[in-house]
């Protein structure tokens, strides 16, 4: 039974659950007092994924100083909801690109006030976007089997690059773009200029997230394909295209994800039910929990580059508003618990 | 069953509901809420605060809920194929088998003491807004020892109705795309009585439904679609000796569900089939006896093959059920029942049931009869995890426990009517209180393993009440073809209040404690006014569905909505033929509403229908 089938089955199940149980959204979320300015320039943007099939993805903004929160800033500014399954946000050339997976689109916004500047359509199931040359972005895709090449001036999909599977995480280094194929076991290396796959770097099953460290090494976190094999963390030398080091997790039941690198590029954080912290110099997966999830379901992770504070999203059961945990980077202690929308999953620091 | 109130739709009532589905019947039920994605689309029912998978649907006495999904799509039961429908919300629902924690919808065929000797055919053709065309045919013929009854239906609709797109600034008007459906089906009943003590019955149900699935507002249109095929067949032998009646039934069920989304490369084929053998007994009431006994023993084999696992999954269920009804006096009766199931060789909880009814002696005044009654019931039930819950890869959990429930109802009614042969109005009032508690409620929740997993995560306490009001100004409604010249009318109205709250328990990612379950409205109300004068008939049907929370913390909701449907028709009869032409309007106030979030429902629509009725052995005045 291959991993792609697993993903499809889970997608089908999600669709069945959305039909049968139904989670959803529509009316406006609770609002904090609007005592803050209307620009979102000093704080963190929280992307709330929403419930699958319910069209209730939202973006919140939390001001760094006051920790006040403004909920649902996209709908507030634009008079319409963001869409179904908020996947990620990319900030390219001074604009925000909000990838809305199950609405098959990317909303282009002014990042300072989230006013809509346009919509990119013609995508199948977009996941993450990255700049890949002048006026050009690559967008990964769950079901499309290809990377979409988007012209950032015309907002049109101009080309597709076949990747042969579920393209997920994406990162660039030099002229190359590295794309993890999450339902397989490799990283596709794409020449951004020629828009062609030049090679594949073999890792282990289920590469779901990755980040470059300060030495230009690419760290790839593989979940093992839902208990198909032991999850591993790999350090890849992108110059040679080889895996330099691999770190195995203890159990098939581990599900590591959401790899984040700190601003100095020397310490990683990731989720494996709980939050773990690992220096790039360590020789094994840490066994000590940095911050315990307890009864919470931690679904996303972010690192404030200015303070190092760790942000984690508690999605609860995906049918209600979640919370954002702020955690000390020094000792893993909980600093604050803040309100969020449904399934807070990504954090972007401004 | 003593102590339980039945909502029943016979063939005459179903005649007025042509073009509808069982989902529409349930929408008329006080305390019921149907979550529908639109005409012809998936429709599931929540009864008295329970979930859709806790509503059991039976066909010829056998549960037909999907063993994989647990629920039944009520849109796949067109009223034209049904002889009668009965809804039980009380604990007597367990008589159909376990699983009906909310209630049971029993679909069946008419039972004839004497087979109808005349040829009866009736049918309908209709055309309406948004590309809707329906046709149905019903043919019935009996001879001395046998009869045949055939029902057939064809429906299609484009469902290309306008709606306001809430996902776009300014909410511009758009036309719904990719929402067409086509449905056709046949139901056949045969009866054969070789002697007065023996009867054979055979029933077949065939349905084929193709549906496009529109995207939610804001999402791109894909090629998502679904194809369903249902085959059901039952053969029964009923034998009577003295006061004992025995019925042996063999039933075969086969469902195919083919879901496709070529855009996403998804092609899912789910099949299940069930074989059921059942022997049932009942005793008649005898004037010298105060006890009536009934019961059955049933063996059921479910087989399911889906994309969620490799190979075939099976489940074997043995059920024994026995009931005793004690007719204590003219006013009092009481019943007790017990059910025991074995699932794959493992004994399930024993399900006791108790019910009672007190019927006050009618008091007659000069022109008035006052009749009061009180009923109560209490029972236990459980629902097995579905095969998806147990075996879906990934996330199926073979360690799941069954959901277990207790439910109680207390009701009272009062009827004021004219004495026999009087034409004074009849007024009836009924009130009911209900409460149910469910443990080990099964939900799919994030597991920390990277996928969702079925878990027993919470308890649910549901309670509420309903009131019903009936008024009709004459005892006898004029029948088709025999038009009276007096104005006849009937008014039915009901209101229900339901609180269905989660009580976190056990393991899992919990939330929503003390909050209303999602998609269970607290308030529903509706009325139906039916008028008839000479050849004219009119129906007016206003309904209100209150706010429905769509997150488990009540932070987001769908607004309540008010709908008004109405119809007017005129009948013409000549010789042995009767024809009726109807104009039906739905959502006449053009309310913008969503039964499911971001799924637009149709605004004002019209349907023109022609019904005919031919009875070759009966003269029609």
């Amino acid at each position: 039974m291959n991993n792609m089938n697993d993903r499809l089955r889970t997608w089908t199940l999600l669709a069945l659950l959305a039909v049968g149980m139904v989670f959803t959204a529509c009316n406006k979320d609770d609002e904090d007092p609007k005592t803050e300015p209307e620009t979102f320039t000093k704080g963190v943007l929280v992307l709330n994924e929403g419930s699958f099939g319910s069209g209730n993805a939202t973006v919140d903004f939390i001001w760094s100083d006051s920790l006040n929160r403004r909920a649902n800033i996209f709908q507030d500014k634009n008079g319409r909801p963001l869409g179904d399954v908020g996947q990620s946000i990319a900030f390219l050339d001074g604009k925000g690109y909000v990838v809305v997976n199950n609405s098959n689109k990317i909303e282009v916004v002014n990042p300072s006030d989230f006013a809509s500047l346009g919509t990119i359509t013609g995508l199948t199931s977009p996941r993450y976007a990255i700049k890949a040359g002048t006026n050009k972005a690559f967008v990964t895709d769950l079901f499309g089997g290809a990377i979409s090449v988007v012209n950032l001036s015309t907002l049109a999909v101009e080309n597709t690059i076949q990747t042969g599977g579920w393209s997920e995480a994406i990162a660039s280094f030099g002229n190359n773009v590295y794309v993890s194929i999450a339902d397989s076991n490799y990283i596709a290396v794409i020449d951004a200029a020629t828009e062609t796959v030049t090679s594949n770097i073999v890792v282990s099953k289920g590469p779901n997230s990755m980040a470059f460290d300060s030495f230009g090494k690419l760290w790839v976190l593989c979940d093992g394909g839902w208990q198909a094999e032991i999850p591993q963390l790999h350090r890849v030398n992108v110059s040679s295209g080889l895996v330099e080091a691999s770190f195995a997790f203890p159990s098939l039941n581990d599900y590591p994800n959401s790899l984040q690198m700190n601003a100095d590029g020397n310490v990683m954080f990731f989720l494996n039910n709980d939050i773990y912290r690992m220096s790039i110099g360590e020789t094994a997966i840490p066994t000590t929990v940095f911050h315990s999830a307890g009864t919470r379901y931690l679904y996303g992770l972010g690192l404030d580059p200015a303070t190092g504070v760790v942000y984690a999203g508690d999605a609860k059961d995906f049918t209600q508003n979640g919370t954002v945990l702020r955690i000390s980077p020094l000792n893993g202690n909980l600093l604050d618990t803040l309100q969020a929308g449904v399934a807070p999953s990504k954090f972007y620091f401004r | 069953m003593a102590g339980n109130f039945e909502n029943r739709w016979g063939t005459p009532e179903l005649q007025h509901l042509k073009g509808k589905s069982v989902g529409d019947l349930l929408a008329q039920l006080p305390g019921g809420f149907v979550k529908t994605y639109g005409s012809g689309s998936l429709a599931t029912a929540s009864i008295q605060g329970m979930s859709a998978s806790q509503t059991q649907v039976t066909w010829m006495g056998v549960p037909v809920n999907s063993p994989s999904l647990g629920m039944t799509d009520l849109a796949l039961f067109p009223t034209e194929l049904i002889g009668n429908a009965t809804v039980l919300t009380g604990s007597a629902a367990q008589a159909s088998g376990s699983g009906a924690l909310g209630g049971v919808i029993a679909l069946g065929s008419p039972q004839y003491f004497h087979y109808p000797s005349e040829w009866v055919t009736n049918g309908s053709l209709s055309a309406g807004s948004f590309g809707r065309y329906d046709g149905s045919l019903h043919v019935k013929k009996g001879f001395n020892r046998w009869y045949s009854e055939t029902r057939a239906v064809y429906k299609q609709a484009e469902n290309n109705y306008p709606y306001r797109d809430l996902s776009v600034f300014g909410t511009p008007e758009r036309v719904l795309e990719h929402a067409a459906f086509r449905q056709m089906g046949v139901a056949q009943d045969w009866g054969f009585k070789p002697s007065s003590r023996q009867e054979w019955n055979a029933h077949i149900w065939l349905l084929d439904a193709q549906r496009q699935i529109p995207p939610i507002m804001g999402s791109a249109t894909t090629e998502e679609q679904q194809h369903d095929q249902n085959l059901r067949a039952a053969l029964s032998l009923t034998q009577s000796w003295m006061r004992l009646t025995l019925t042996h039934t063999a039933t075969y069920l086969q469902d195919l569900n083919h879901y496709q989304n070529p855009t996403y490369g998804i092609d899912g084929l789910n099949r299940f089939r069930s074989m059921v053998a059942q022997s049932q007994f009942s005793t008649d009431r005898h004037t010298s006896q105060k006890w009536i006994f009934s019961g059955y023993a049933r063996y059921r084999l479910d087989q399911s093959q889906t994309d969620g696992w490799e190979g075939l999954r099976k489940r074997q269920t043995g059920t024994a059920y026995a009931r005793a009804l004690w007719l204590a006096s003219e006013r009092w009766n009481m019943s007790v029942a017990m059910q025991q199931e074995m699932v794959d060789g493992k004994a399930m909880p024993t399900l006791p049931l108790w019910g009672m009814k007190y019927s006050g002696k009618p008091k007659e005044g000069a022109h008035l009869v006052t009749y009061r009654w009180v009923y109560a019931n209490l029972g236990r039930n459980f629902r097995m995890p579905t095969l998806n819950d147990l075996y879906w890869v990934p996330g199926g959990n073979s360690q799941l426990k069954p959901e277990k429930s207790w439910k109680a109802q207390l009701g009272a009614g009062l009827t004021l009517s004219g004495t026999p042969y009087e034409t004074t109005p009849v007024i009836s009032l009924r009130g009911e209180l209900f409460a149910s508690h469910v443990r080990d409620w099964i939900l799919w929740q994030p597991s920390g393993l990277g996928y969702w997993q079925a878990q027993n995560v919470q308890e649910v306490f549901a309670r509420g009440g309903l009131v019903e009001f009936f008024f009709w100004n004459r005892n006898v409604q004029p029948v088709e073809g025999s038009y009276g010249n007096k104005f006849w009318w009937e008014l039915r109205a009901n209101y229900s209040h339901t609180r269905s709250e989660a009580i976190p328990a056990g393991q899992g990612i919990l939330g929503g404690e003390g909050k209303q379950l999602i998609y269970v409205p607290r308030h529903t109300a509706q009325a139906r006014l039916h008028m008839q004068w000479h050849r004219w008939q009119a129906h007016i049907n206003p309904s209100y569905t209150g706010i429905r929370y769509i997150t488990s913390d009540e932070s987001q909701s769908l607004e309540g909505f008010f709908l008004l449907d109405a119809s007017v028709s005129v009948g013409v009869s000549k010789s042995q033929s009767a024809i009726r032409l109807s104009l039906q309007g739905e959502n006449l106030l053009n309310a913008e509403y969503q039964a499911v979030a971001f799924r637009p429902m149709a605004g004002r629509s019209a349907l023109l229908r022609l019904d005919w009725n031919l009875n070759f052995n009966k003269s029609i005045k």
Side-chain angles (χ1 to χ4, degrees):
Chain A
M1 189 181 323
N2 66 36
N3 203 20
M4 183 61 183
N5 283 339
D6 287 347
R7 310 284 181 181
L8 288 177
R9 274 203 298 267
T10 294
W11 198 260
T12 306
L13 181 64
L14 281 172
L16 294 172
L17 290 169
V19 162
M21 292 162 44
V22 179
F23 343 101
T24 288
C26 218
N27 285 1
K28 223 158 62 166
D29 195 1
D30 58 322
E31 284 287 313
D32 290 328
K34 294 192 175 183
T35 55
E36 300 285 354
E38 289 296 332
T39 55
F40 310 117
T41 52
K42 193 178 177 191
V44 56
L45 289 159
V46 180
L47 178 60
N48 302 295
E49 184 177 292
S51 302
F52 175 83
S54 303
N56 60 347
T58 56
V59 180
D60 299 344
F61 188 78
I62 298 171
W63 279 271
S64 299
D65 298 333
S66 64
L67 297 183
N68 281 343
R69 163 178 169 258
R70 181 75 45 80
N72 210 352
I73 60 176
F74 180 90
Q75 180 157 1
D76 268 6
K77 186 67 182 178
N78 302 298
R80 60 188 173 91
L82 180 60
D84 193 31
V85 185
Q87 184 61 45
S88 63
I89 305 177
F91 295 94
L92 314 175
D93 296 337
K95 295 177 183 174
Y97 294 80
V98 188
V99 181
V100 193
N101 171 257
N102 205 37
S103 293
N104 331 94
K105 68 177 182 179
I106 297 176
E107 292 284 356
V108 187
V109 297
N110 179 340
S112 63
D113 63 0
F114 261 64
S116 176
L117 302 174
T119 305
I120 301 170
T121 58
L123 304 160
T124 302
S125 184
R127 303 288 290 178
Y128 296 90
I130 197 170
K131 188 167 168 61
T134 308
N135 272 339
K136 189 166 72 177
F138 286 176
V139 182
T140 59
D141 201 290
L142 171 55
F143 290 116
I147 303 288
S148 298
V149 181
V150 175
N151 184 319
L152 297 178
S153 299
T154 63
L155 304 186
V157 176
E158 294 193 327
N159 190 20
T160 55
I161 306 167
Q162 297 300 313
T163 55
W166 167 8
S167 54
E168 178 72 355
I170 188 165
S172 67
F173 192 81
N175 294 326
N176 286 336
V177 173
Y178 300 87
V179 177
S180 76
I181 307 304
D183 56 355
S184 188
N185 64 342
Y186 62 93
I187 306 296
V189 183
I190 301 172
D191 185 314
T194 62
E195 299 175 7
T196 55
V197 177
T198 56
S199 62
N200 291 326
I201 301 170
V202 176
V203 287
S204 57
K205 210 170 181 70
N208 61 37
S209 52
M210 54 193 193
F212 280 100
D213 67 16
S214 57
F215 298 100
K217 300 294 172 68
L218 182 64
W219 291 79
V220 181
L221 188 56
C222 300
D223 56 42
W226 292 339
Q227 297 170 301
E229 59 181 50
I230 288 286
Q232 294 188 65
L233 176 65
H234 304 282
R235 188 178 73 228
V236 176
N237 183 330
V238 293
S239 300
S240 65
L242 297 173
V243 173
E244 286 185 341
S246 294
F247 306 89
F249 284 78
S251 162
L252 272 179
N253 288 329
D254 286 310
Y255 182 74
N257 62 92
S258 302
L259 180 69
Q260 299 286 324
M261 186 71 71
N262 71 348
D264 293 334
N266 57 5
V267 175
M268 296 172 285
F269 291 83
F270 58 85
L271 291 174
N272 187 15
N273 269 334
D274 304 308
I275 302 173
Y276 288 83
R277 178 187 186 277
M278 179 177 173
S279 161
I280 60 171
E282 289 184 52
T283 55
I285 296 294
T287 54
T288 306
V289 172
F290 178 69
H291 180 86
S292 171
T295 58
R296 295 175 296 239
Y297 183 73
L298 301 184
Y299 188 56
L301 208 57
L303 303 177
D304 186 339
T307 63
V309 170
V310 180
Y311 284 67
D314 176 8
K316 298 185 177 176
D317 59 359
F318 288 78
T319 66
Q320 60 182 309
N321 286 335
T323 56
V324 171
L325 314 181
R326 295 179 74 251
I327 296 158
S328 165
L330 302 176
N331 51 24
N333 288 343
L334 181 65
L335 301 174
D336 307 281
T337 302
L338 310 174
Q339 287 301 305
V342 176
S345 60
K346 305 289 188 312
F347 304 91
Y348 302 94
F349 299 88
R350 309 292 297 159
Chain B
M1 171 64 78
N4 282 260
F5 187 85
E6 284 187 1
N7 289 275
R8 184 177 170 82
W9 291 264
T11 301
E13 290 84 7
L14 293 170
Q15 290 279 331
H16 291 299
L17 292 163
K18 281 182 179 173
K20 308 282 189 184
S21 73
V22 170
D24 299 301
L25 297 188
L26 265 288
Q28 296 180 357
L29 183 76
F33 172 67
V34 175
K35 197 174 71 206
T36 172
Y37 288 64
S39 174
S41 298
L42 174 71
T44 57
S46 154
I47 295 178
Q48 295 195 334
M50 296 290 103
S51 74
S53 55
Q54 293 159 347
T55 298
Q56 186 82 266
V57 179
T58 66
W59 179 78
M60 303 301 165
V62 172
V64 295
N65 288 32
S66 160
S68 296
L69 279 173
M71 61 185 70
T72 303
D73 183 354
L74 300 177
L76 300 179
F77 291 89
T79 52
E80 292 90 341
L81 297 188
I82 296 164
N84 56 56
T86 305
V87 178
L88 274 172
T89 60
S91 52
Q94 63 148 258
S96 66
S98 63
L101 275 53
V104 65
I105 307 161
L107 308 177
S109 290
Q111 298 289 310
Y112 297 108
F113 187 73
H114 295 296
Y115 290 151
S117 59
E118 70 271 25
W119 268 99
V120 177
T121 70
N122 59 63
S124 65
L125 286 173
S126 59
S129 309
F130 318 128
R132 180 175 165 185
Y133 299 95
D134 299 349
S136 70
L137 186 65
H138 177 202
V139 180
K140 184 168 63 178
K141 173 60 182 170
F143 293 99
N144 185 31
R145 293 178 181 273
W146 66 272
Y147 85 99
S148 169
E149 191 160 7
T150 307
R151 295 178 170 84
V153 68
Y154 177 85
K155 299 179 182 186
Q156 70 171 58
E158 288 299 316
N159 280 330
N160 51 351
Y161 49 79
Y163 69 97
R164 283 196 312 116
D165 189 344
L166 305 177
S167 71
V168 178
F169 177 73
T171 62
E173 186 171 289
R174 297 210 164 139
V175 173
L176 191 66
E177 296 178 343
H178 199 69
F181 81 93
R182 177 192 57 72
Q183 190 179 86
M184 53 188 174
V186 178
Q188 174 68 49
D189 300 330
W190 288 287
F192 175 61
K193 281 187 181 177
S195 72
S196 61
R197 296 181 177 277
Q198 192 179 71
E199 180 176 8
W200 290 83
N201 286 99
H203 310 277
I204 292 176
W205 172 292
L206 290 165
L207 187 92
D208 184 283
Q210 295 263 14
R211 290 180 282 194
Q212 296 176 329
I213 302 174
I216 67 168
M217 291 185 221
S219 292
T221 299
T222 65
E223 298 168 57
E224 197 175 5
Q225 58 187 311
Q226 187 171 314
H227 181 203
D228 290 276
Q229 287 182 328
N230 308 119
L231 162 63
R232 302 185 178 108
L235 176 66
S236 68
L237 167 64
T238 302
Q239 293 171 295
S240 303
W241 291 283
M242 305 295 284
R243 298 196 305 272
L244 179 67
T245 302
L246 284 176
T247 302
H248 310 284
T249 309
T251 308
Y252 177 79
L253 311 171
Q254 180 175 300
D255 286 0
L256 178 145
N257 169 269
H258 190 190
Y259 171 84
Q260 291 176 293
N261 190 335
T263 309
Y264 287 176
I266 298 175
D267 191 328
L269 186 62
N270 304 305
R271 302 167 189 265
F272 89 79
R273 63 182 175 189
S274 302
M275 283 156 275
V276 186
Q278 178 170 309
S279 287
Q280 183 176 343
F281 78 92
S282 64
T283 63
D284 292 337
R285 182 181 183 184
H286 189 277
T287 50
S288 62
Q289 297 285 334
K290 291 198 169 189
W291 292 90
I292 294 175
F293 299 97
S294 61
Y296 64 78
R298 178 196 291 164
Y299 168 78
R300 178 178 183 125
L301 171 64
D302 291 315
Q303 296 176 318
S304 187
Q305 192 169 17
T306 79
D307 283 356
W309 54 73
E310 298 285 345
L312 197 66
R313 289 288 180 182
K314 298 178 183 177
R315 174 186 280 170
Q316 297 184 77
T317 307
T319 307
Y321 172 83
R323 189 203 66 164
L325 172 62
W326 179 40
L327 305 166
S329 70
E330 286 186 0
R331 298 184 182 183
W332 289 92
N333 61 54
M334 188 173 77
S335 63
V336 289
M338 198 71 80
Q339 189 202 76
Q340 180 67 56
E341 280 193 1
M342 300 279 287
V343 179
D344 291 331
K346 185 178 175 185
M348 293 291 110
T350 303
L351 306 182
L353 158 66
W354 168 86
M356 61 72 63
K357 184 177 181 183
Y358 169 80
S359 306
K361 187 177 180 183
K363 292 181 180 176
E364 295 187 22
H367 294 286
L368 206 61
V369 177
T370 304
Y371 177 60
R372 300 182 183 87
W373 74 95
V374 178
Y375 62 93
N377 64 73
L378 172 68
R380 191 183 189 200
N381 210 330
F382 70 88
R383 186 179 76 90
M384 284 298 294
T386 67
L387 296 178
N388 278 6
D389 293 336
L390 293 169
Y391 304 122
W392 190 277
V393 179
N397 181 356
S398 60
Q399 304 303 310
L400 281 178
K401 295 175 282 188
E403 296 175 341
K404 295 175 267 304
S405 77
W406 281 97
K407 184 168 186 177
Q409 288 181 326
L410 174 64
L414 169 70
T415 297
L416 304 173
S417 66
T419 53
Y421 311 112
E422 291 287 341
T423 57
T424 48
V426 177
I427 297 172
S428 182
L429 284 168
R430 181 173 75 96
E432 181 178 288
L433 298 172
F434 66 88
S436 57
H437 179 262
V438 184
R439 281 193 295 129
D440 296 323
W441 188 285
I442 296 169
L443 282 180
W444 282 73
Q445 299 232 305
S447 67
L449 296 171
Y451 48 79
W452 289 42
Q453 191 172 43
Q455 298 172 22
N456 297 103
V457 291
Q458 65 184 25
E459 298 179 11
V460 169
F461 179 44
R463 70 275 193 196
L466 61 91
V467 289
E468 274 190 302
F469 170 77
F470 305 139
F471 179 97
W472 61 102
N473 73 336
R474 292 176 66 87
N475 282 327
V476 181
Q477 179 187 359
V479 297
E480 186 68 280
S482 177
Y483 309 115
N485 58 4
K486 291 185 178 177
F487 183 65
W488 178 93
W489 64 285
E490 171 190 279
L491 174 66
R492 298 166 181 263
N494 65 62
Y495 163 80
S496 69
H497 176 78
T498 304
R499 290 280 296 172
S500 189
E501 296 175 350
I503 306 167
Q507 300 297 309
I509 312 298
L510 301 172
E513 182 173 4
K515 306 293 185 184
Q516 183 85 346
L517 292 193
I518 60 173
Y519 280 97
V520 176
R522 282 192 181 137
H523 306 280
T524 58
Q526 59 182 296
R528 278 179 289 157
L529 176 63
H530 180 192
M531 296 171 288
Q532 189 164 331
W533 181 69
H534 289 278
R535 300 174 186 277
W536 294 86
Q537 288 187 16
H539 290 82
I540 299 174
N541 181 197
S543 65
Y544 173 75
T545 301
I547 186 173
R548 286 136 297 135
Y549 294 106
I550 51 181
T551 51
S552 58
D553 56 359
E554 297 186 358
S555 62
Q556 299 174 14
S557 61
L558 295 175
E559 293 177 355
F561 57 88
F562 178 82
L563 301 178
L564 179 63
D565 300 339
S567 70
V568 61
S569 67
V570 59
V572 178
S573 64
K574 186 177 181 183
S575 183
Q576 295 180 325
S577 303
I579 293 175
R580 179 161 290 277
L581 186 65
S582 311
L583 179 62
Q584 301 176 357
E586 294 187 350
N587 192 6
L588 291 174
L589 302 179
N590 209 26
E592 291 178 0
Y593 71 104
Q594 300 163 64
V596 178
F598 289 105
R599 299 276 183 185
M601 300 295 282
R604 186 182 298 117
S605 66
L607 184 77
L608 190 64
R609 196 175 88 203
L610 179 69
D611 290 275
W612 67 87
N613 190 358
L614 299 174
N615 186 333
F616 293 111
N617 297 322
K618 178 185 173 187
S619 63
I620 299 173
K621 295 173 185 174

